[in-house]
């Protein structure tokens, strides 16, 4: 349970924690008052939401696979022998063996890392860069907005997979970093647009004017007043994007421009074995199950988060 | 309105030029770093250098800047722009066919596929969304949510292959064994891939697979939107006017709720085009997506630049149309 | 149940329509098409001087009356009279000379110009690169026509080769040597869309790119008529999609089976799956220009540590034949067990490696393959086996796209074993030997050079007849078997599927599925 | 220098209306505030009344420096804030603070009450040393009648009236001399409204503040204001002491406004001289020529269209009014 | 004018033409929300006669709008549920009618004007469409006829150039005009009862005066029963005949307009009247009601007003709360100490 609360805090903590003094004030003040920010409320509601709890437990599990695969398996996924090719699951080898006779379970465990790393890095990158650019464009308007918006348009109008194919064929070094970069390049405009939209709608809110009236500078207005309130839709979108990036990694591999064997990733597992799904369906079902679970968890978390953050649903 | 359209069209210019340059630079870099795409034509056989060079030149990969790594090849870019805008000449592919012809061949299929996908996505997505939205929190709502989210999380190629095998082949074969089922259904619709004899029917299932991805988003968006609007004061007014429930929902709620959905569908045209890459491969549809994938792999820069530029234009125009449609749906929006 | 329910009541009476799987061809002209999908269509639209016997693969005269030479250098070709193109133009000596010249002239940029390389005067019709590396615009070639082609009379012409070659008659059955009509050469682009053929079938409509190519029986064809009335080439981009269509009963012939579906297909279609050893050769080339690979014992040791059958079973469902020689087993003159190092023998491998001084410590064996074609998988298995047998750790380099990969090969920049394949150009042993291992030969990516080998090849080339050449070539093959410039892996097995509509399915070992000879029920 | 703490001279704010695709050109302006002269004495409350859209808020925003005047002068304690740089204006804001209309939207929902009230100290670090800020915030809370223990609560945990108190505390943080209230009670219920007005009056007595009190509720203004300015379409049409305006209004608009105010006394029903205006407020982008009120005025004559009436004392009532035909008309019968 | 429909409505079981046009008895409404059950209306009773104006007064959130919505049958359900009481239209309990018949009563017999006209008009349809819809759906008129009637209606509510404006969208109208459109819509089918839910709260005083004058004129013309919901004591004083004061979902005082203003018999009413700024008290502190209204999910036991009441005694904190005391034959108050409150005056 404690894990969950901290997971909720990590999600909710971004804006509030960024507000520095909030925490300071909380600790300094009279202890009996429980702070009840939107985020704290959201957290309380989330912890009570079984869907969110299950989804975040799942993500936690997958995250630990990515971070500490050796906790989950003692097998070496690269220890293969064609003599054991495609042996069905058994107790010792719960996922069986793949085509080359490598232990499929350990492959799945080690395969979590690239999938998760790509998704998490690309998402963080679009959140940070897209968020910042959207903030600047929305806040300053005028030519800053015009330039950023045009650049946004260029990347935005490139259909996602097509763009990825072109970029990755060109870069041709298809590793975690390049895939992350391509996903980032093609996806940041969406977040920038979301942020820009919510900044434009919130920069004329009364409380921003109120802060301006006491003499606050632009940076303060942007980062303390506007951004924290624009961040909720972004965060919700980010969880969905995170899920879709996990799936995108697989799709890119399927299209031949993603990670390639002998690297290990769920995408590789799926795309290499999808053709065997009639003969040995478990070769496809295991990695697909993991992947779908992850994507599903992220989306459901995002959903729950949105409901929790939206006072209308309270 | 007219002014707005003109302004938007003018805004296309930097976007399109920017995209074209981006693609041009990427593909030039590809040639500079990964070598002459012509070489791959010969495969394991090493061609005589003269022949290789002759073909290279014929295909327009002879520009010396393509030998200097990192050179942005501005000259080549200007030539390209000139050819494209003054002569409508997008160059030729490795098989010496003009890109315009390739696109002309491929685009009808992709457009058909897109239309099916968008219609499917709109009709089913909106219907599901309305049902879910009207009964927020009900079992139906829950079902719609779970099934749509599930569809999002299955990678489209897995979905496509599964549908092809089970619906197109397995289920289709059962239908084909039944005499009373018309061919249009058994052979045309439930087919594992595109068929020239049934140019529309055989695209229905691929189109649905393509639409399925965004179906979920459409449904969810509609649901939220309906749930918001169903509580709006003007819906209450409509009820107070003694209108039937059908009219209150169908006329007074739906139109307002569709505004964000339409926006999404507009944006989604671009995404659907990208999704077509996978769908077209799996269902053997000879469309744009397959063309671009193939060209990108073989490094046919002229094709990539040409086709993607045209796609970008399609996306931009579609978005413009959606914006205008938006104004039709919502009279509060005035474009000046 | 598979595609077993297509009704075909009227097929038997009329000869019917044969619907076959195909990929998108590159070109439909004899001078341009050099890939399998193109050849399949070209072979039904065009006919050449010779053809190959479906059973024995022996060369038989087709349009030629005779193909003769005394010195294996100057060949005289006589053509049967009365044949015409679809547009009425006669198929005469000019038609061939025109076609070959057109292919050879480099500004025409025809892929099959490559096949004219033995004909005298080839250098003059191909522009020399002024500074050797291409950037400048190539000058006009010196000549427009091959000096080795001479018309004797309407139906006779002579071909002079640059060097004697006893296998010449087998080569001219290749579609690159098929004739082209004048109207076709005059507007090659139009001809490519709707070829003017001279064979048993003619185009029905134009080439529907990426969709279909339909041909119908030609009424101008004087030879043995094709069995089906009509052949529909359905074009698929993806073999899995094609297989699905076959399962759905939309195809009558599928000339290939998707690797992963082999087992299933075999179980489902049983005797309607045609299987035969094929002639496409897969090998792991050894970069002899790298120090680590200079010692042949190392190469032998590497080869000895590979269990080919196990990889074939695991990765390819047993669809390949492990290579024990360097020439396709279907070819005249091919022998089993030419390669003494092609059976797994870990003891011997270790011993040879030790004799050679072992593998440099700390270095990894690098294995190369081009990206995106699925080669990484079996190569990984190869690496695993070597690692297990010899303790040499390996690394895969599988990220180069094909073009760059080939350029790396051309520039001899591989740092380890490299996967490549070879398909024969004509059914003659020579095609498996000289191009790959001859000193300075174009596809000799290992840079193997052995004077004895070259001499044996020359001897075979100038032998009196095809049969007479074989012993010399076998001698050459033995040398390669000992030196192992490449590690042979396997030859493919062809696996074709045909539907219940098909009465008799005909496969030609050289030219693959013979649709014209395939009859429907 | 005058003895006014705040004075404006011909203060103007025009919002440009632009047109054009690439090069925008100005085709007109919304004359939100069009030449306003105001004086505010120390310790005085100046009420500003007028219809919605007449420019009250724009005026307020200019006075606190949220908006730069298009022209005119704005003296805050003798310093012309319209002529100083941005940084100085930012610092100058200390002396004049704003209480906003809507207590629900004017507080950042993500900040604690302590952070909201303490924000001015962080922006102007020299006012209160860091260590004492918290204490000062609690002091302020106490001053406006809130529990100092609630410093860590978030705005949504307070009622409307309490929130408005938080807004007032924030305005007081920098010890300003002038507080500008832009409709501070119009979002509140009658019973709560009284609490807030009481508080404002109490603070004025204790701290010697000067108020500009904007409202559309004339009875509230009458209760709190010493002097009243009546605005119509960006201009002040009549100004005077509370008695002058309410007892002897001379401008027809003021008269109409006053007569329209419902009096909570049923016994006066039918006895009042109610003036029901016809027509709507004209657009400030395109105000009528001459007198701006003439389109709705029952007294209008030709001269009203030709000549703009100046704000000057015309008749015996002794306070300035911008009407050519200014005359006293008794519209309000005192409730006693 | 609308004979066909009248025939159908006459067929309502138990319709008594001589009964009151609207009578609400002990109405109870609750909202079942995540945070508990909100008792928005806890036994509201009132009636209105033809040609009379009944004002319902009370501060924000006390359940005025919910009452109106319950009468119209347009409550959001879920979360809102009517848990008790009767709503009688000429003796017919509307709550017992099947939905199809209930729908016929709306707009035809009982119509309603909403608080915020901008959000109450559908932004994506023209004003004409929204007006004409009534005639088309209830009277089966053709498009043109209905449109012509729409123009007539706009004329009726004094919208200049009605013929042109009929094709405009709501956002193209000013606030006052929108409210007039709302009135037109409510009057279109010539109802007997008009419920006006804070019709002028969003408007300026000058416009408010226009609208109130218009309403009064139309009411008189048609002898309509008007239920005016508001929290503006001034407006009530101007137009109401009888007043019901609500607090926390309950009517706590009911009387004729003069009685209430002259001598309120409930401390809450009294507090409201006192917190209005008055000239004679200028310079003095306003007498505000201390404290806040209760949360509807957590209404204090006994009299809901007791925590804020200066007369409160222990008895006020005991359940059940005070009954409605009959102050005079025509007036009631829900205060144990109504005499003291009144006598204080
Ligand atoms: N940023 C702006 N750009 C263009 N026009 C503006 C802007 N701000 C205000 N206006 C216009 O200026 C006029 C005066 O607006 P302002 O908000 O000052 O009115 P107000 O008197 O405060 O009205 P209310 O009582 O409704 O608050 C209005 O017509 C408004 O539309
Ligand atoms: N759809 C709803 N869901 C939950 N609670 C509701 C809903 N509608 C109204 N309520 C609650 O019912 C109570 C009464 O609301 P109502 O709208 O009747 O107040 P009102 O007296 O009309 O106030 P105002 O003067 O602000 O219009 C409020 O506390 C409100 O929170
Ligand atoms: Mg304002
Ligand atoms: Mg209300």
């Amino acid at each position: 349970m404690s894990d969950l609360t901290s997971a909720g805090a990590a999600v909710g903590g971004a804006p509030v924690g960024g507000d520095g003094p909030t925490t300071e004030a909380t600790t300094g003040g009279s202890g009996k008052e429980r702070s009840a920010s939107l985020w704290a409320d959201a957290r309380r509601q989330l912890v009570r939401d079984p869907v969110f709890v299950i989804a975040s437990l799942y993500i936690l599990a997958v995250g630990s696979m990515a971070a500490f695969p050796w906790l989950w398996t003692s097998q070496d996924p690269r220890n293969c022998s064609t003599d054991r090719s495609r042996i069905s699951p058994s107790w010792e080898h719960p996922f069986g063996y793949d085509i080359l006779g490598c232990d499929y379970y350990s492959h799945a465990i080690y395969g979590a890392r690239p999938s998760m790393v790509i998704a998490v890095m690309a998402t963080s990158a679009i959140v940070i860069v897209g968020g910042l650019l959207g903030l600047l464009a929305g806040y300053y308007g005028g030519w800053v907005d015009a330039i950023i918006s045009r650049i946004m348009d260029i990347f935005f109008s490139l259909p996602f997979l097509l763009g990825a194919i072109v970029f990755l064929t060109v870069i041709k070094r298809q590793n975690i970093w390049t895939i992350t970069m391509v996903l980032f390049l093609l996806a940041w405009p969406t977040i920038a647009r979301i942020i820009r939209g919510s900044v434009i709608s919130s920069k004329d809110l009364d409380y921003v004017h109120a802060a301006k009236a006491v003499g606050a500078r632009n940076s303060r207005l942007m980062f303390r007043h506007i951004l924290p309130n624009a961040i909720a839709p972004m965060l919700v979108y980010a969880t969905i994007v995170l899920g879709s990036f996990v799936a995108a990694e697989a799709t890119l591999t399927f299209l031949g421009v993603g990670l390639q064997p002998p690297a290990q990733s769920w995408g590789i597992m799926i795309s290499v074995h999808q053709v065997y799904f009639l003969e040995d369906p478990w070769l496809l079902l295991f990695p697909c199950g993991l992947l779908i679970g992850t994507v599903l968890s992220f989306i459901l978390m995002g959903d729950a988060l949105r409901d929790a953050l939206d006072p209308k649903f309270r | 309105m007219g002014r707005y359209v003109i302004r938007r069209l003018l805004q296309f210019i930097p976007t399109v030029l920017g995209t074209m340059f981006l693609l041009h630079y990427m593909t030039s870099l590809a040639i500079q770093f990964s070598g002459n795409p012509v070489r791959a034509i010969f495969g394991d056989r090493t061609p005589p250098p003269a022949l290789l060079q002759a073909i290279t030149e014929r295909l327009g990969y002879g520009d010396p800047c393509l030998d200097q790594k990192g050179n942005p090849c501005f000259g080549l870019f200007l030539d390209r722009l000139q050819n494209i805008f003054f002569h409508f000449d997008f160059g030729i592919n490795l098989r010496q066919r003009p890109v315009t012809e390739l696109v002309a061949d491929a685009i009808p299929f992709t457009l058909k596929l897109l239309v099916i996908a968008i219609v499917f996505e709109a009709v089913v997505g909106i219907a599901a969304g309305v049902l879910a939205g009207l009964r927020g929190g009900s079992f139906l709502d829950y079902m719609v949510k779970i099934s749509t989210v599930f569809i999002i999380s299955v990678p489209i190629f897995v979905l496509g292959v599964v549908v092809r095998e089970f619906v197109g082949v397995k289920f289709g074969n059962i239908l084909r064994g039944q005499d009373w089922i018309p061919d249009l259904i058994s052979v045309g619709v439930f087919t594992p891939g595109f068929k020239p004899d049934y140019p529309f029917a055989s695209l229905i299932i691929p189109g649905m697979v393509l639409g399925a991805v965004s179906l979920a988003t459409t449904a969810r968006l509609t649901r939220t939107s309906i749930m918001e609007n169903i509580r709006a004061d003007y819906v209450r007014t409509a009820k107070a006017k003694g209108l039937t429930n059908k009219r209150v929902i169908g006329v007074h709620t739906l139109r307002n709720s569709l505004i964000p959905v339409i926006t999404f569908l507009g944006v989604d045209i671009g995404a659907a085009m990208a999704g077509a890459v996978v769908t077209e491969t799996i269902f053997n549809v000879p469309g744009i997506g397959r063309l671009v994938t193939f060209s990108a792999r073989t490094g046919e820069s002229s094709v990539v630049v040409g086709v993607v530029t045209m796609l970008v234009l399609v996306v931009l125009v579609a978005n413009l149309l959606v914006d205008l449609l938006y104004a039709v749906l919502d009279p509060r929006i005035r474009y000046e | 149940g598979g595609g077993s329910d297509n009704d075909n009541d009227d097929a038997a009476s009329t000869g019917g329509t044969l619907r076959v799987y195909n990929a998108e061809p590159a070109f439909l002209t004899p001078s341009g098409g050099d890939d399998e999908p193109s050849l399949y269509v070209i072979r039904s639209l065009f006919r050449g001087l010779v053809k190959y016997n479906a059973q024995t693969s022996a060369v038989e005269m087709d349009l030629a009356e005779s193909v003769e030479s005394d010195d294996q250098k100057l060949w005289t070709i006589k053509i049967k009279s009365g044949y015409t193109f679809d547009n009425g133009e006669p198929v005469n000596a000019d038609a061939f000379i025109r076609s070959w010249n057109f292919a050879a002239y480099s500004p025409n940029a025809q892929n099959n110009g490559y096949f004219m390389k033995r004909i005298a005067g080839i250098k003059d019709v191909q522009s020399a690169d002024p500074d050797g590396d291409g950037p400048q615009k190539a000058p006009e070639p010196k000549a427009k026509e091959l000096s080795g082609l001479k018309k004797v009379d309407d139906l006779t012409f002579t071909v002079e080769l640059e060097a004697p070659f006893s296998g010449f008659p087998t080569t001219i059955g290749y579609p690159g040597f098929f004739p082209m009509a004048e109207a076709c050469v005059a507007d090659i682009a139009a001809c490519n869309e709707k070829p003017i053929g001279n064979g048993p079938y003619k185009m029905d409509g134009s080439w529907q790119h990426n969709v279909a190519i339909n041909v119908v029986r030609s009424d101008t064809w004087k030879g043995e008529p094709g069995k089906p009335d009509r052949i529909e080439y359905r074009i698929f981009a993806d073999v899995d999609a094609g297989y699905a269509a076959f399962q759905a009963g939309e195809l009558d012939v599928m000339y290939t089976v998707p690797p992963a579906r082999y087992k299933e297909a075999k179980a489902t279609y049983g005797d309607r799956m045609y299987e035969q050893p094929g002639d496409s050769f897969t090998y792991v080339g050894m970069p002899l220009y790298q120090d680590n690979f200079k010692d042949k014992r190392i190469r032998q040791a590497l080869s000895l540590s590979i269990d080919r059958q196990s990889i074939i079973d695991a990765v390819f469902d047993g669809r390949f034949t492990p290579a024990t020689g360097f020439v396709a087993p279907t070819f005249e003159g091919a022998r089993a067990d030419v390669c003494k190092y092609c059976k797994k023998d870990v003891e011997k491998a270790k011993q040879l490696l030790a004799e050679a001084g072992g593998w440099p410590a700390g270095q990894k064996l690098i294995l190369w393959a081009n990206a995106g074609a699925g080669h990484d998988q079996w190569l990984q298995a190869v690496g695993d086996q070597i690692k297990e047998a010899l303790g040499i750790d390996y690394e895969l380099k599988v990220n180069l796209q094909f073009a760059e990969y080939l350029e790396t090969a051309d520039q001899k920049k591989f740092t380890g074993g490299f996967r490549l394949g070879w398909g024969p150009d004509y059914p003659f042993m020579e095609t498996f030997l000289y191009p790959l291992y001859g000193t300075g030969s174009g596809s000799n990516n290992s840079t193997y050079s052995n004077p004895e080998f070259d001499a044996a090849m020359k001897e075979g080339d100038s032998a009196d007849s095809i049969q007479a050449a074989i012993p010399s070539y076998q001698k050459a093959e033995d040398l390669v078997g000992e030196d192992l410039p490449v590690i042979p892996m396997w030859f493919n097995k062809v696996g074709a599927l045909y539907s219940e509509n098909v009465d008799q399915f005909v496969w030609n070992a050289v030219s693959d599925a013979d649709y014209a000879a395939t009859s429907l029920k | 220098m005058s003895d006014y703490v705040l004075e404006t001279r011909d203060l103007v704010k025009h919002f440009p209306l632009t047109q054009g695709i690439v090069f925008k050109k100005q085709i007109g302006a919304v004359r939100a505030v069009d030449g306003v002269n105001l004086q505010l004495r120390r310790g005085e409350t100046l009420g500003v009344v007028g219809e919605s859209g007449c420019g009250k808020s724009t005026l307020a925003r200019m006075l606190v420096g949220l908006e730069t005047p298009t022209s005119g002068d704005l003296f805050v304690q003798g310093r012309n804030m319209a002529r100083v740089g941005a940084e100085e204006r930012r610092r100058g804001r200390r002396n004049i603070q704003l209480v906003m209309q809507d207590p629900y939207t004017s507080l950042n929902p993500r900040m604690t009450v302590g952070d909201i009230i303490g924000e001015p100290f962080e922006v102007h670090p020299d006012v209160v040393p860091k260590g004492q800020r918290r204490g000062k915030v609690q002091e302020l809370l106490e001053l406006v009648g809130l529990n100092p223990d609630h410093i860590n609560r978030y705005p949504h945990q307070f009622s409307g009236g309490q929130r408005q108190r938080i807004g007032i505390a924030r305005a007081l943080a920098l010890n300003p001399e002038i507080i500008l209230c832009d409709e501070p009670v119009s979002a509140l219920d009658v019973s709560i409204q009284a609490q807030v007005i009481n508080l404002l009056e109490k603070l004025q007595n204790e701290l010697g503040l000067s108020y500009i009190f904007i409202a559309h509720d004339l009875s509230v203004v009458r209760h709190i204001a010493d002097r009243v300015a009546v605005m119509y379409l960006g201009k002040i049409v009549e100004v005077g002491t509370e008695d002058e305006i309410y007892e002897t209004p001379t401008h027809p608009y003021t008269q109409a406004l006053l007569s329209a105010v419902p009096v909570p006394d049923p016994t006066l029903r039918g006895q009042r001289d109610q003036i029901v205006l016809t027509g709507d407020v004209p657009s400030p982008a395109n105000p009528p020529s001459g007198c701006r009120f003439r389109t709705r005025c029952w007294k209008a004559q030709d001269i009203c269209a030709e000549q703009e009436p100046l704000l000057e004392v015309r008749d015996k009532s002794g306070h300035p009014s911008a009407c050519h035909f200014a005359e006293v008309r008794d519209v309000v019968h005192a409730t006693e | 004018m609308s004979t066909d429909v009248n025939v159908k409505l006459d067929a309502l079981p138990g319709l008594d033409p001589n009964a009151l046009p609207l009578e609400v008895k002990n109405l109870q409404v609750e909202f079942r929300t995540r945070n508990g059950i909100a008792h928005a209306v806890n036994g509201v009773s009132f009636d209105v006669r033809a040609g009379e104006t009944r004002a319902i007064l009370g501060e924000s959130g006390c359940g005025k709008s919910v009452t109106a919505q319950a009468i119209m049958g347009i409550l959001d359900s879920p979360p809102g549920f009517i848990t008790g009481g009767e709503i009688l239209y000429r003796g017919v309990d509307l709550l017992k009618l099947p939905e199809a018949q209930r729908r016929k009563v709306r707009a035809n017999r009982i119509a309603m004007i909403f608080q915020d006209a901008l959000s109450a008009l559908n932004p994506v349809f023209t004003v004409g469409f929204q007006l004409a819809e009534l005639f088309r759906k209830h009277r089966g008129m053709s498009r043109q006829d209905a449109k012509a009637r729409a123009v007539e209606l706009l004329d009726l509510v004094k919208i200049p150039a009605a013929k042109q404006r009929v094709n405009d969208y709501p956002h193209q109208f000013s606030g006052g005009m929108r409210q007039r459109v709302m009135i037109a819509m409510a009057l279109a089918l010539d109802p007997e009862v008009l419920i006006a839910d804070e019709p002028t709260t969003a408007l300026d005083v000058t416009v408010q005066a226009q609208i109130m004058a218009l309403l009064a004129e139309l009411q008189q013309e048609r002898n309509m029963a008007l239920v005016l919901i508001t929290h503006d004591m001034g407006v009530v004083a101007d137009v109401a005949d009888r007043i019901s004061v609500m607090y926390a979902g309950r009517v706590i005082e009911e009387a004729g307009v003069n009685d209430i203003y002259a001598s309120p018999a409930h401390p809450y009413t009294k507090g409201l009247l006192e917190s209005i700024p008055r000239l004679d008290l200028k310079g003095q502190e306003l007498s505000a009601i201390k404290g806040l209204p209760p949360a509807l999910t957590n209404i204090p036991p006994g009299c809901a007003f007791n925590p804020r009441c200066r007369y409160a005694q222990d008895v006020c904190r005991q359940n059940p709360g005070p009954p409605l005391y009959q102050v005079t034959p025509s007036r009631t108050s829900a205060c144990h100490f109504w005499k003291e409150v009144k006598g204080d005056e």
Side-chain angles (χ1 to χ4, degrees), chain D residues 51-52 159 189-191 194-195 198 201 219 222-223 225 242 257 260 262-266 269 272 276-277 279-280 296, chain E residues 59-60 174 177 204-206 208 210 234-235 237-240 258 261 275 277 279 282 284-286 288-289 291-292:
Chain D
E51 251 161 329
S52 175
S159 71
D189 259 317
V190 227
S191 66
Q195 297 174 357
N198 285 345
E201 295 207 306
S219 41
R222 181 163 200 191
H223 179 85
E242 166 254 330
L257 201 59
V263 178
D265 184 354
R269 198 189 286 183
R272 285 160 56 215
V276 175
L277 291 175
D280 289 300
R296 301 169 78 196
Chain E
E59 53 192 319
S60 190
S174 73
M177 288 159 89
D204 278 320
V205 270
T206 55
Q208 168 173 310
Q210 289 172 16
V235 171
D238 254 0
V239 298
N258 291 327
Y261 282 81
S275 55
L279 205 59
K282 185 169 163 63
Q284 295 180 28
E285 201 177 328
L286 289 170
I289 307 175
L292 297 168

Side-chain angles (χ1 to χ4, degrees), chain B residues 163-200:
Chain B
V163 166
R164 184 183 69 198
E165 292 304 324
F166 287 101
V167 178
V169 176
K170 295 247 149 74
F171 184 64
N173 280 345
I174 295 172
L175 293 186
R176 282 182 283 274
Q178 241 68 43
D179 287 338
W180 52 272
I181 296 175
D183 269 8
L184 180 68
I185 303 291
S186 62
V187 185
V189 177
F190 289 92
T191 161
F194 169 72
K195 261 196 214 141
D197 312 346
Y198 297 97
F200 220 89

Side-chain angles (χ1 to χ4, degrees), chain A residues 51-67:
Chain A
V51 175
F52 183 83
V53 170
I54 293 171
S56 41
L57 277 180
Y58 188 93
I59 295 295
L60 212 67
V62 172
S64 67
M65 283 182 205

